[in-house]
Structures are given as structure tokens and as C-alpha cells.
Amino acid sequence: MENLKYGWRSPSNIALIKYWGKTGVQIPANPSISFTLSESHTDTFLYLEEKSSKDEFSIEVLLDGRPEHAFVPKIKEFFGRIQNDLPFLKEYHFRIETHNSFPHSSGIASSASGMSALALCLAEHQLGDPDQDDFLRLASHLSRLGSGSACRSLYGGLVSWGRTPVIPSGSDDHGTPYSGKVHPLFWDFRDTVLLIDKGVKRVSSTAGHGLMHGHPFAENRFSFAHEHLEKLLKTLENGDLEGFGAIVEREALMLHALMMSSSPYFLLMRPETVAVIENIWSFRKDTGLPLYFTLDAGANVHLLYPEGVEQTVLDFVKTSLSTYCKEGAYICDRVGSGPINLK
């Protein structure tokens, strides 16, 4: 049945202002904003087959063509959260075939691209026409209930999530494409991802978010996030690369400081992560070029820089930074334009 097959490619995203900590059902404790990526994405095909029993969810997941039973409980939990939005979920058996263009569970937000790709397939079945005005909003809302950061992967460019006075259109319920003034320097920003650790993270992001409850620095962190967001938006408007880099790097280090000071505490950075950061600082001091870093919830380092210095940065990566990467691996990415319908 051709109309019961859907396919979407959805990108990952890299947060500039970090979301860490949540309340209720996937409501962020502070607002965040991210760059949508281009080359780091998930391709998902969803097949629906009618079934006679309507009592429970029926799901199978194939990752790169092989059954991935470990994903099924998380998908069932996701379906449980969205069944009021999508009343058809118990009417079908769902076969999910998915592939990541980057290592899974290594700190490049595979849950963001994966959940958003699945949500797009489900939203298309619900609404029929992906060109409807509310299609992406529905998909973003559904994505959020699977993985908070996934709601920012439904649009290209800069995307915010969470209510804040400085972005009146911002919402806790779904991601919102940023419509404020942005200097052209940031339109074609590059993100080279250094793959320092390709393995599964020792502590999941879900567990890390939970440790913000009762964290001694939680309230100050949430206050800083609002302050940093307001300052970041000004640097985006003015093309202030130095100010942009200072805020983004501080956000990354603050995220990992929260992990290291939680109870129980944990550490996701590796010695190579620290060595890369110190090399970036030395490179910037020696050359004066606008090369900055950020980290997601993992050991890998995202190098952020404008298109104009790309060749010089890539030469630096090849000759120096790649030695800290697992098997010398890195991904050359850039700001992307959002999901693609594979059908």
C-alpha cells in the first residue's frame, strides 16, 4: 500500500545556548537556540500495516538493515506520549527503517535527527499534505515529546525552543525558526565535528537532564541561559564573531561543568577533548582567526567558524586536530536548510 510508506531525512542540530534540565513532560527549564546542520542527518522510512488487535503498540526498528530491539521501548514510550495527538497509533504495525550519517549515541544528537525524522513520517500520515502551514509545527511538537532537542531539527538555520521575552514567538511546545536580524556572516557558518569518541555515551542525555533536579547550581544556570541568549542574539545581529565565540564556548563549558558537579557526578569529556580545546585557543591567539568550539553532551568537539576561513581551518584540522580523533575521523558540516521528504 503505497500511501502507507513515508520517508524523511531530518538533520541533527548543534545548540549554541544549551538546554539542560526539564520540567513536566519534556518542557525545557531554559530557552535554547541552535544551528541546524546539513550533513549530519538521519534517513527514516516508516511502513504501516493494518492489524486486527488495537490493544497495544506494535513496533519493529531496523538500524542499517539490522533489527535494533533496544530502540523499541523508547519508541513505545514516545508513542504513549503522542497517542492523544495521533489516534491511529494502535491501529497499525509500524516498521521503522533508519540510518544515521554519523555515529549513533556519541554526542551529535542522533536522538534529535532520529526522532524528528520519525515525527515527520507520523505527521505526514496524520495530515496527508506536508505543505500545510501547521505540518512542521505538528512534527516539531511530536518530536519534542520523543527528544527535547529534536524539536529544533524541523527548520533550517537558527531555531529556538523555549519561552523567552527576547524571542516573542518562542514556545515550550515546539521549535521556532528564528526570525530576528542575522548578519550574513552566520548564514553559511561551518561546523567541523571532530569524532574523538564514536562509542555510546557513558551517561545518557536523559539521565543527565534528570540530575538537574536538586542540582546546587540549577537556578543560577537557568538564569545564565536567559542572559547568554539575549547577548548571543545581539552578536548574531551585529556580526560580532568574537562576542559570539565567547558566549558559545562558555555555554559548552558550563554544560559540562553541570555534569561534573551533579550528584552523582560524571564526565563525558575525554583527555583528547581538552587537548583539542587548548589547541583551538592557541590557534586563535596565534592567527587571530575566528575559530570557536562548542560541545554537545559527549566528547566530540564542534568547530564553528565562518565560510571565509574554511580552508585554513581544515588545513589545521588535517595537520593537527585530526590526530586527537578516533581513527582521524571528522565530519565537515555546515548550517543546513532543514528536513527533506525522501518519498
Side-chain angles (χ1 to χ4, degrees):
M1 299 174 64
E2 184 63 29
N3 63 322
L4 295 184
K5 173 186 175 182
Y6 306 94
W8 283 88
R9 169 174 293 175
S10 191
S12 183
N13 65 78
I14 180 63
L16 307 174
I17 303 298
K18 307 297 184 181
Y19 139 68
W20 198 245
K22 54 191 173 185
T23 62
V25 182
Q26 300 289 90
I27 300 298
N30 66 264
S32 59
I33 193 167
S34 62
F35 274 141
T36 299
L37 298 179
S38 174
E39 303 307 313
S40 301
H41 54 72
T42 298
D43 290 352
T44 293
F45 288 93
L46 179 66
Y47 301 84
L48 285 69
E49 180 182 349
E50 292 187 58
K51 60 187 180 72
S52 56
S53 172
K54 316 294 183 185
D55 297 332
E56 59 185 22
F57 304 125
S58 178
I59 300 164
E60 63 176 312
V61 182
L62 283 77
L63 175 63
D64 298 326
R66 296 183 296 274
E68 187 59 69
H69 303 296
F71 286 1
V72 174
K74 185 170 185 178
I75 301 298
K76 286 187 174 181
E77 181 181 12
F78 172 47
F79 276 23
R81 289 175 176 172
I82 64 175
Q83 60 182 330
N84 289 334
D85 296 289
L86 306 179
F88 60 82
L89 290 177
K90 291 185 178 179
E91 297 177 4
Y92 298 95
H93 171 72
F94 294 86
R95 187 170 86 251
I96 303 165
E97 298 184 1
T98 189
H99 165 75
N100 296 323
S101 69
F102 57 95
H104 170 73
S105 294
S106 58
I108 318 179
S110 59
S111 62
S113 56
M115 280 296 183
S116 56
L118 176 57
L120 284 160
C121 294
L122 294 169
E124 185 175 0
H125 182 74
Q126 172 75 355
L127 297 179
D129 181 6
D131 293 326
Q132 289 187 41
D133 292 340
D134 58 351
F135 173 75
L136 290 179
R137 178 175 292 189
L138 172 62
S140 183
H141 160 73
L142 297 175
S143 297
R144 187 202 98 230
L145 294 170
S147 168
S149 59
C151 76
R152 298 190 306 250
S153 285
L154 275 298
Y155 305 92
L158 287 156
V159 185
S160 72
W161 174 39
R163 292 195 301 172
T164 167
V166 297
I167 304 179
S169 62
S171 170
D172 287 343
D173 182 68
H174 54 80
T176 305
Y178 181 62
S179 58
K181 293 181 180 179
V182 178
H183 193 280
L185 274 172
F186 296 103
W187 293 350
D188 296 312
F189 235 59
R190 279 7 190 192
D191 178 3
T192 299
V193 189
L194 305 181
L195 300 179
I196 289 168
D197 187 352
K198 296 182 182 181
V200 176
K201 292 181 294 185
R202 293 164 179 80
V203 178
S204 70
S205 294
T206 299
H209 283 293
L211 293 175
M212 286 300 288
H213 293 291
H215 195 294
F217 307 135
E219 292 307 315
N220 280 341
R221 161 57 199 162
F222 302 146
S223 177
F224 271 120
H226 283 272
E227 178 184 323
H228 287 170
L229 178 60
E230 184 173 5
K231 290 180 178 179
L232 183 75
L233 297 185
K234 292 178 181 177
T235 69
L236 291 172
E237 179 178 356
N238 299 331
D240 178 5
L241 289 172
E242 185 175 352
F244 168 88
I247 295 168
V248 168
E249 290 188 351
R250 191 182 190 198
E251 276 286 302
L253 295 175
M254 188 174 288
L255 170 66
H256 284 260
L258 291 167
M259 300 174 193
M260 290 186 279
S261 54
S262 65
S263 181
Y265 47 81
F266 61 101
L267 180 64
L268 293 185
M269 285 194 288
R270 310 308 302 151
E272 294 85 354
T273 308
V274 177
V276 164
I277 290 172
E278 291 179 334
N279 272 266
I280 292 168
W281 286 339
S282 295
F283 174 85
R284 197 162 66 223
K285 181 179 179 181
D286 293 341
T287 66
L289 294 178
L291 172 62
Y292 308 102
F293 74 85
T294 190
L295 307 168
D296 212 327
N300 299 320
V301 181
H302 292 248
L303 305 179
L304 301 177
Y305 52 94
E307 180 186 21
V309 299
E310 181 174 24
Q311 191 55 57
T312 303
V313 170
L314 290 181
D315 289 342
F316 175 51
V317 170
K318 292 174 185 176
T319 59
S320 179
L321 298 185
S322 64
T323 61
Y324 299 101
C325 298
K326 191 76 170 179
E327 300 172 347
Y330 56 90
I331 299 171
C332 293
D333 217 325
R334 62 186 185 279
V335 177
S337 56
I340 298 171
N341 192 333
L342 298 177
K343 192 174 182 181

